[in-house]
Amino acid sequence: MSITGLKRKQPKTFKVKVITMDAEMEFNCEMKWKGKDLFDQVCRAMGLRETWFFGLQYSIKGMSTWLKMEKKVLDQEIPKENPVSFYFLAKFYPEKVEEELLQEITQHLFFLQVKKQILDEEIFCSPEVTVLLASYAVQAKYGDYDPSLHKPGFLVPEELLPKRVLRQYQMTLDMWEERITSWYAGHQGTARYEAEMNYLKIAQDLEMYGVNYFPIAQRKNHTDFLLGVDAKGIHVYSIHNRFSPSKSFEWSSIRNISYSEKELTIKPNDKKAEVFKFFSSQPKVNKLIMQLFIGNHDLFMRRRRVDPIEIQQMKAQAREEKARKKVEHQRLAREKQLREEAERAKQELERRLFEVEDEARQASEALRRSEATAEMLAEKAQIAEEEAKLLAQNAAEAEQECRRLELAALKTKEEKRLMEHKVREAELIARKLAKESDRRAKEAELLKQDLQEAREAEEKTKQKLQDVNHLNPFPPTIRCPQHLSPACPADVRELSADKGSVKLDFRDTDLKRLSLEIERERLDYMDKSRKFEDRLKELKAELRALQLEEKQTGLLSRWSEVLGALDCSSGSTGKAPLWMKALEADLLGSLQWPFLCPPHVADGSLARTPAEKPPPLQTSPGNGGTGPRKHIKLVPMTEKAVSSTQSAANILGKSIHMNSHEPIRSHVVTIPL
């Protein structure tokens, strides 16, 4: 026998794709496999032991049907696809999910299928219950609520509410999320399997939970009712009401169910009760309805019998698993609580450490600031001490300067008083000179009249001389005296030279003496007027200097008061403004300059200072005239002093005008005796 003959022939297979509620699986199915073989393969792959609730569903010609377990897969009307697609779904529903669903995988598959039916609106649910169910779904998926992880908007991608509920209320997704999150936060500490079980316990109380609806009619070719099949029995609904059945047949009250091609008959246990007959649209629908009848009735009877050993073991294992999970969950919750407490303690310690570090940093900064402040205060104290010494020195200097200025002010007042006395004397002298000038003017007028009379007499005398000359052709020669020769007028000398010597009349001597006296008085008066004007200018200059000194003294005394007020106000700090010092120095320099630096005279000689006393007026008797004459001794003055004197004279408002008279010419004539 050949080696190839010894090899076992490999069976032929075809590919099958099984789609569950949360995964997809592919299998290689043998040609001879029945539906139960494929179903067991899928259950083994999923680890599912509660297989009696589930089945493999497929769609053919728009109608959903279940794969028959006792027939071959290829002998059934499955879709001609590669791979062939089947849906692993719950075919029968338990009456009480908490007692009948033993495995966690079974519970999870029921949870996913019921959730999908509620979202697809195959099971009607009120909005309030929908929000509660959504909160359990979120708890099952995300675990306990953590505000640090579950930020606003984390439920946006999730589909948690039916579209009918979203359309029914005018609320935004954020508002719905807030409502769901408020319920979700209350499920703290609930495990995933507990959240799914709570979801199913709420869902099993809904009217449409676990009900398969089929259109039926009591007469052929008409749809009058809806037939509903669930775990409790058979129900008849109207077309527009799927919540409240118009007629119900519990499994315990049904004696027999039969069907023909399109007709189904339900016979109650009560023989007197009416037999319920109805028709379906297709024979395949009748077969499907019959399968659901048989499966639900078997489960109903199974629940009321003693559980087999396998089921008892499964329930015991489920109870042990739940207890273990409960203990594990409690341990995890306790560890989580301890971890949270440790985290809180750690955060508290970190916070306290941060506070201590912050306090230490603030203390170090405060110490550094205090050290810097101490250094600054020491520097300020040193500067204040130096400024106090400087202020004391300046105060002493200012006090000395004030005393000096007070003395200068007293001296200035004395000089001012003397100057005013001198001005009054000068005014008296000016008035006297004015009176003397008037008297002299009157005398000059009288002399002019006398001179006019003398000239007239001279003319008469000349006329007489001419008459005499005509009578005596050789007159004797007359000589002028030698002591009068310089003063003799030219016409007298000419007469003497031309006509000879003539004996003078006694009136000629008086005229000569009068002319000489007038000339001398005029010269003396002009000299005194010039000296008086010079002295008056000098007095005016001194008066202006005294007024300027008095103004400066008043300004300096005001400055001293300001400095005193500043010293009083800054006495607590011991520090005066530096700009006051500079201003004080400039002011003292400007005040002392006119007194310490006298101006130079134009010819280079120094003028006396205002502090020097002016020389007193000196008088001496005149050499001629009718009264005593006062001679004023003049001293040299600068142009500045002259202008100052003129300004002082303008302030006094007095001016003295000196009248200068033209010299009177004396003519001496020779009159023959």
Side-chain angles (χ1 to χ4, degrees), residues 637-659:
M637 296 179 64
T638 61
E639 295 179 358
K640 186 175 180 181
V642 174
S643 61
S644 301
T645 308
Q646 290 176 357
S647 300
N650 293 330
I651 293 172
L652 292 174
K654 297 183 181 292
S655 62
I656 302 173
H657 301 280
M658 298 300 178
N659 295 324

Side-chain angles (χ1 to χ4, degrees), residues 472-581:
N472 188 10
F474 301 100
T477 302
I478 300 175
R479 297 180 181 270
C480 279
Q482 294 181 358
H483 63 279
L484 297 175
S485 60
C488 287
D491 54 357
V492 175
R493 287 196 301 268
E494 289 175 358
L495 289 173
S496 299
D498 294 337
K499 297 181 180 181
S501 169
V502 181
K503 187 178 180 178
L504 297 176
D505 193 3
F506 67 94
R507 196 167 183 86
D508 293 337
T509 303
D510 293 335
L511 290 174
K512 291 178 183 178
R513 184 178 60 79
L514 182 59
S515 299
L516 291 174
E517 186 176 355
I518 291 172
E519 184 67 21
R520 187 169 56 253
E521 290 290 337
R522 187 182 64 79
L523 294 175
D524 190 11
Y525 178 73
M526 291 178 65
D527 186 25
K528 288 192 292 183
S529 299
R530 185 173 62 256
K531 290 179 180 181
F532 179 74
E533 289 179 358
D534 294 339
R535 180 57 182 165
L536 185 59
K537 290 179 181 180
E538 182 180 358
L539 290 175
K540 290 180 179 180
E542 291 179 359
L543 183 60
R544 182 175 180 181
L546 288 174
Q547 290 178 351
L548 179 60
E549 184 178 358
E550 184 180 2
K551 290 181 180 179
Q552 293 173 350
T553 305
L555 180 59
L556 187 58
S557 63
R558 178 58 181 169
W559 178 253
S560 300
E561 293 176 0
V562 172
L563 286 181
L566 289 176
D567 291 337
C568 292
S569 62
S570 62
S572 60
T573 58
K575 182 177 180 181
L578 297 178
W579 63 271
M580 298 296 291
K581 298 178 182 180

Side-chain angles (χ1 to χ4, degrees), residues 437-438 440-441 444 448 522 525-526 659-664:
S437 176
D438 293 339
R440 294 290 182 176
K448 285 181 181 181
R522 187 182 64 79
Y525 178 73
M526 291 178 65
N659 295 324
S660 61
H661 300 281
E662 295 181 356
I664 302 172

Side-chain angles (χ1 to χ4, degrees), residues 2-134:
S2 64
I3 298 175
T4 57
L6 295 175
K7 290 182 179 180
R8 187 177 179 179
K9 189 175 181 180
Q10 295 292 335
K12 294 182 179 180
T13 60
F14 62 95
K15 290 184 178 182
V16 175
K17 181 172 70 173
V18 179
I19 302 172
T20 64
M21 295 303 301
D22 57 353
E24 291 183 3
M25 298 178 291
E26 289 189 1
F27 300 94
N28 289 323
C29 182
E30 296 182 6
M31 295 290 187
K32 62 179 181 180
W33 276 9
K34 295 181 179 180
K36 183 172 177 53
D37 297 330
L38 178 61
F39 180 76
D40 292 340
Q41 181 73 17
V42 174
C43 291
R44 284 193 298 270
M46 296 176 62
L48 180 66
R49 297 178 66 182
E50 297 175 282
T51 59
W52 49 85
F53 292 111
F54 299 94
L56 293 175
Q57 188 182 66
Y58 62 92
S59 297
I60 184 70
K61 296 180 181 179
M63 179 180 176
S64 297
T65 185
W66 296 93
L67 185 67
K68 297 180 178 62
M69 299 298 169
E70 65 278 1
K71 292 181 65 174
K72 290 184 178 180
V73 176
L74 294 178
D75 291 344
Q76 302 182 41
E77 295 181 2
I78 60 176
K80 306 299 181 180
E81 299 174 350
N82 189 19
V84 182
S85 297
F86 293 98
Y87 293 93
F88 189 83
L89 298 174
K91 185 176 182 180
F92 307 106
Y93 290 84
E95 292 184 21
K96 296 181 180 180
V97 292
E98 189 175 8
E99 296 178 0
E100 297 183 41
L101 300 180
L102 303 178
Q103 281 187 295
E104 186 176 349
I105 181 63
T106 308
Q107 176 182 304
H108 182 63
L109 291 174
F110 267 97
F111 163 74
L112 294 177
Q113 185 167 340
V114 173
K115 176 185 173 184
K116 184 176 184 303
Q117 289 175 350
I118 291 175
L119 294 178
D120 292 343
E121 300 181 10
E122 294 178 8
I123 298 176
F124 178 81
C125 183
S126 63
E128 293 79 6
V129 178
T130 304
V131 172
L132 179 59
L133 293 175

